[in-house]
């Protein structure tokens, strides 16, 4: 992906569809539309998956909680949502096997009756899935459960095991955008839509874009505009037609990050009961464990949702009955928050609002808006939106994304890391990291080390990130800022704020060379990012270590 080339295309080419927002749904829609033969532009005011889509629980799932509610309330809408999610798990993994995989989850229980109840529910879950690629759930004895997850409380009676999927959400969205670009879409990050131009009948025919990196203004022409901005969808809808009513009720969900030793397992934990009726997950991700999520109304969409002290206390208290040794506040290494785009309904609170999606067509302005949804069903959401777009264009075409490999996914075999090691003499852990991060494109990253031996150097001791990756991310993945690299192309910011700060200066040096920053620009970018990391620590009530951030 080349941002300068994409900018020129945005200004000079007429498009069939301009997609606003490059998270899961927007990037997914861009790939779908491009594969159907439409002329597509994909823009985002920030980075790819810079907001909600990079801050999920990293699960691909049908929704165990939704199944329970569907059965208890005989709610067919919830049941439909579960079946859609279960059907899509296999496709999400199949199309990007380097970025998604099956994940075992344990649910500790404290009585035989509780075990029977949950086992019955998960048997239904497997029945609706009808997916032989995932192992079947089973009821484990206490001894068996402790062999899978040694840190579970000995007070438990037993545990129920089932399987869902896990994905690297930010890199998955990036792979969707890359795949769309390679199929012919014009793709650009940091390109904000600031105004619409309407024809005499009030229909949108052009839009004004502002380059967030240069403040340059440009105009894009498209027959249709598709709003895929998640929790920010109402702002675009009202920009297109001020008479519309709000449709999104934002909900904040946060995760705290603990050391992997809290679980000491490759499996995750589902905590089925919390005082306020939620479910909470503890999920291994790299060297850490993500614990979340919360669910509360969120009003200030201009402020990034962050981990706060009360949320740490809530998550620690929720985890405490299920582990032998309860983590302390000082064990928290980082945290991150996201905003769910829940669709407004008559239901009472965000825990019961449907997360299924809707494609809205505003007849006055012509704007299409893809509302709601979740990561697991991003492809179905995109398909529904582009089906409607094709009808509006008068050129319907079939969807083919169910069998389309994303970049790095086709012919992927994890064991090819051994060939990478033999060919480029990189350490084993580095080669394994490259395969999991870039898939079959890992060889392109490794090849950069041939002409510059310093690019094989690690950025952090005991971590697999090497300097060549930053160069590759700028050249091929449109990385433009420190946070693009450290929070999204790598997931270091989500996992450990202290390590992120230690790596920031070296990353800034590499970006400065690749992006032609002046010395003053390099220092400004670095200072701003270190300040942001410090603010995250302060807002979480954690002790800041400013010296290492300087």
């Amino acid at each position: 992906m080349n941002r300068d080339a994409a900018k020129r295309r945005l200004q000079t080419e007429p498009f069939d569809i301009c997609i606003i927002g490059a998270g899961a749904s927007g990037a997914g829609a861009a790939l779908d539309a491009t594969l159907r033969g439409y002329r597509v532009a994909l823009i985002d005011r920030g980075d790819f998956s810079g907001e909600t889509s990079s801050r999920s629980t990293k699960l691909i799932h049908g929704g165990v909680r939704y199944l329970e509610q569907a059965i208890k309330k005989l709610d067919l809408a919830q049941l439909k949502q579960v079946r859609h999610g279960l059907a899509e798990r296999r496709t999400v993994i199949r199309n990007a096997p380097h970025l998604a995989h099956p994940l075992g989850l344990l649910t500790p229980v404290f009585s035989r009756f509780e075990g029977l109840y949950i086992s019955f529910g998960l048997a239904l879950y497997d029945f609706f899935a009808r997916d032989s690629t995932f192992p079947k759930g089973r009821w484990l004895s206490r001894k068996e459960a402790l062999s899978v997850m040694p840190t579970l409380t000995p007070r438990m009676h037993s545990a129920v095991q089932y399987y869902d999927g896990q994905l690297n959400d930010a890199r998955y969205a990036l792979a969707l955008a890359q795949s769309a670009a390679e199929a012919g879409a014009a793709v650009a990050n940091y390109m904000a839509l600031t105004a619409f131009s309407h024809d005499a009948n009030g229909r949108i025919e052009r839009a004004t874009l502002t380059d967030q990196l240069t403040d340059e203004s440009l105009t894009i022409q498209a027959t249709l505009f598709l709003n895929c901005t998640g929790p920010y969808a109402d702002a675009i809808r009202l920009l297109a037609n001020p008479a519309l009513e709000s449709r999104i009720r934002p909900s904040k969900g946060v995760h705290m990050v603990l050391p992997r030793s809290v679980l000491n397992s490759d499996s995750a934990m589902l905590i089925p009961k919390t005082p306020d009726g939620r479910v909470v997950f503890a999920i291994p991700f790299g060297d850490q464990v993500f614990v979340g999520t919360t669910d509360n109304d969120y009003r200030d969409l201009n402020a990034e949702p962050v981990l706060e002290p009360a949320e740490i206390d809530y998550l620690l208290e929720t985890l405490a009955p299920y582990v032998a040794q309860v983590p302390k506040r000082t064990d928290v290494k980082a945290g991150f928050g996201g905003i769910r785009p829940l669709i407004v309904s008559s239901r009472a609170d965000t825990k019961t609002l449907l997360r299924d999606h809707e494609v809205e067509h505003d007849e006055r302005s012509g704007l299409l808006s893809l509302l709601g949804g979740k990561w697991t069903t991003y492809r179905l959401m995109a398909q529904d939106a582009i089906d409607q777009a094709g009808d509006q264009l008068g050129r319907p075409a079939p969807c083919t994304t169910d069998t389309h490999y994303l970049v790095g996914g086709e012919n992927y075999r994890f064991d090819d890391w051994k060939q990478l090691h033999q060919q480029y003499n990189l350490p084993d852990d580095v080669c394994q990291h490259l395969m999991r991060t870039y898939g079959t494109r890992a060889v392109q990253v490794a090849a950069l080390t041939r002409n510059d031996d310093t690019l094989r150097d690690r950025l952090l001791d005991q971590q697999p990130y090497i300097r060549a990756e930053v160069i590759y991310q700028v050249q091929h993945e449109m990385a433009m800022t420190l946070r693009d690299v450290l929070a999204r192309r790598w997931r270091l910011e989500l996992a450990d704020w202290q390590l992120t700060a230690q790596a920031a200066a070296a990353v800034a040096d590499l970006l400065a060379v690749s992006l032609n920053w002046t010395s003053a620009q390099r220092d400004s970018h670095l200072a701003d990012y270190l300040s942001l990391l410090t603010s995250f620590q302060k807002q979480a009530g954690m002790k800041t270590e400013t010296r290492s951030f300087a």
Side-chain angles (χ1 to χ4, degrees):
M1 295 191 294
N2 183 287
R3 190 170 182 273
D4 289 337
K7 274 183 64 176
R8 289 191 293 272
R9 291 185 60 191
L10 294 176
Q11 297 179 81
T12 59
E13 294 183 19
F15 294 94
D16 295 316
I17 309 171
C18 174
I19 299 171
I20 312 154
S25 59
L31 176 59
D32 189 338
T34 307
L35 293 178
R36 297 196 204 198
Y38 304 129
R39 296 169 299 175
V40 177
L42 174 66
I43 59 171
D44 196 292
R45 68 178 183 179
D47 190 24
F48 307 108
S49 73
E51 301 288 349
T52 299
S53 292
S54 62
R55 301 171 189 174
S56 74
T57 307
K58 324 297 182 223
L59 285 178
I60 315 160
H61 62 97
V64 172
R65 184 184 70 179
Y66 303 139
L67 178 61
E68 183 180 28
Q69 291 177 359
I71 292 172
K72 283 183 175 180
K73 301 177 182 179
L74 298 177
D75 189 335
L76 294 180
Q78 293 273 27
L79 184 58
K80 179 181 177 183
Q81 189 174 355
V82 172
R83 297 191 68 171
H84 280 169
L86 289 171
E88 284 299 298
R89 290 186 314 178
R90 181 178 181 178
T91 302
V92 171
I93 293 174
R94 181 259 180 206
N95 289 350
H98 57 306
L99 299 174
H101 56 86
L103 176 72
L105 294 99
L106 293 185
T107 301
V109 298
F110 295 88
S111 70
R112 183 172 180 80
F113 173 79
E114 189 180 12
L116 282 168
Y117 177 78
I118 294 177
S119 293
F120 174 73
L122 293 176
L124 286 176
Y125 197 63
D126 286 338
F127 172 76
F128 284 120
R130 299 184 181 182
D131 188 347
S132 60
T133 60
F134 284 77
K136 298 295 184 183
R138 63 192 188 102
W139 192 356
L140 305 179
S141 68
R142 179 168 58 185
K143 181 179 179 181
E144 288 174 322
L146 288 171
S147 70
V148 175
M149 191 175 290
T151 59
L152 290 174
T153 175
R155 297 187 300 277
M156 68 178 174
H157 172 273
S158 52
V160 180
Q161 183 180 48
Y162 76 104
Y163 289 83
D164 263 326
Q166 183 176 40
L167 83 165
N168 184 334
D169 51 10
R171 289 208 64 90
Y172 207 105
L174 175 64
L176 288 167
Q178 282 182 285
S179 300
E182 293 189 9
V187 175
N189 55 3
Y190 295 101
M191 194 67 64
L193 190 149
T194 51
F196 286 116
S197 298
H198 301 76
D199 64 17
N201 297 317
R203 294 184 64 83
I204 301 168
E205 56 183 2
R206 289 184 301 277
T208 301
L209 310 181
T210 302
D211 188 329
Q212 301 296 94
L213 303 178
T214 65
D215 287 331
E216 178 187 2
S217 180
L218 55 137
T219 300
I220 183 172
Q221 181 180 344
T223 304
L224 280 177
F225 286 82
L226 173 59
N227 173 17
C228 295
T229 55
Y232 309 96
D234 282 338
I236 298 296
R237 293 172 65 249
L238 293 172
L239 194 64
N241 181 358
L244 293 174
E245 295 182 357
S246 296
R247 292 296 314 282
I248 298 298
R249 182 172 172 182
S251 167
K252 176 188 178 184
V254 298
H255 298 76
M256 69 176 179
V257 182
L258 297 169
R260 190 180 177 92
S261 58
V262 168
L263 296 184
N264 192 23
S265 176
D266 291 330
S267 294
M269 184 198 304
L270 165 64
I271 298 174
K273 293 189 297 185
T274 61
D276 50 1
R278 306 170 186 165
V279 295
V280 167
F281 294 93
I283 298 178
F285 194 89
D287 294 335
Q288 314 295 354
V289 169
F290 296 164
V291 182
T293 178
T294 59
D295 193 347
N296 299 291
D297 281 333
Y298 196 69
R299 300 300 182 191
D300 188 2
L301 291 180
N302 292 319
E304 178 174 343
V306 296
L307 180 67
E308 300 176 19
E311 293 162 333
I312 293 176
D313 293 339
Y314 167 80
L315 292 171
L316 287 174
E317 290 168 6
T318 300
L319 181 63
Y322 296 89
V323 291
Q325 185 171 349
V326 182
K328 302 179 178 64
R329 286 179 123 269
T330 53
D331 293 320
V332 177
K333 292 181 170 294
F336 57 95
I339 309 173
R340 299 181 188 89
L342 303 179
I343 302 175
V344 168
S345 77
S346 59
R347 303 186 183 214
D349 59 70
T350 61
K351 292 187 290 297
T352 57
L353 287 177
L354 279 177
R355 295 183 65 188
D356 213 347
H357 66 275
E358 175 186 334
V359 182
E360 176 194 74
H361 177 232
D362 175 32
E363 292 188 2
R364 178 183 171 187
S365 68
L367 179 72
L368 287 175
S369 293
L370 179 50
L371 308 175
K374 61 182 181 181
W375 246 116
T376 306
T377 53
Y378 87 87
R379 196 192 65 81
L380 291 180
M381 295 161 57
Q383 179 177 334
D384 288 348
I386 302 306
D387 282 347
Q388 286 210 31
D391 290 342
Q392 293 294 317
L393 292 169
R395 290 159 42 209
C399 174
T400 60
T401 52
D402 59 332
T403 57
H404 187 84
Y405 285 103
L406 305 187
V407 294
E410 190 168 10
N411 299 318
Y412 171 78
R413 291 190 321 123
F414 174 67
D415 283 348
D416 286 348
W417 71 263
K418 297 172 185 176
Q419 296 181 18
L420 210 62
H421 168 70
Q422 293 173 356
Q423 190 171 359
Y424 295 98
N425 196 30
L426 293 167
D428 289 0
D429 65 326
V430 170
C431 294
Q432 292 169 11
H433 157 72
L434 294 179
M435 287 302 298
R436 290 191 181 102
T437 305
Y438 307 94
T440 55
R441 302 287 172 98
V443 66
Q444 297 182 20
V445 182
L448 294 172
T449 65
R450 278 186 167 166
N451 296 326
D452 185 347
D453 201 53
T454 65
L455 293 182
R456 66 176 52 243
D457 294 344
R458 297 176 189 260
L459 285 157
L460 293 165
D461 293 338
Q462 311 304 317
Q463 295 292 326
Y465 311 110
I466 60 172
R467 294 166 60 88
E469 293 180 76
V470 182
I471 306 302
Y472 179 85
Q473 290 166 8
V474 171
Q475 292 178 350
H476 299 282
E477 297 182 346
M478 216 177 280
M480 306 301 296
T481 72
L482 280 161
R483 205 171 188 196
D484 293 349
V485 174
L486 289 163
R488 288 178 285 274
R489 282 142 190 85
W490 295 331
R491 312 315 310 275
L492 192 58
E493 183 193 297
L494 270 65
D496 192 314
W497 287 331
Q498 199 64 33
L499 283 179
T500 303
Q502 292 171 19
V507 173
D509 290 340
L510 291 163
L511 288 176
V513 172
S514 298
L515 295 171
N516 297 315
W517 290 349
T518 65
S519 177
Q521 286 174 319
R522 178 264 183 202
D523 292 345
S524 176
H525 281 291
L526 179 60
D528 288 346
Y529 187 58
L530 295 180
S531 177
L532 180 69
L533 294 176
T534 300
S535 74
F536 290 159
Q537 283 196 320
K538 288 181 177 178
Q539 290 174 92
M542 297 165 59
K543 180 181 178 182
T544 58
E545 299 185 30
T546 308
R547 288 183 182 178
S548 65
F549 278 30

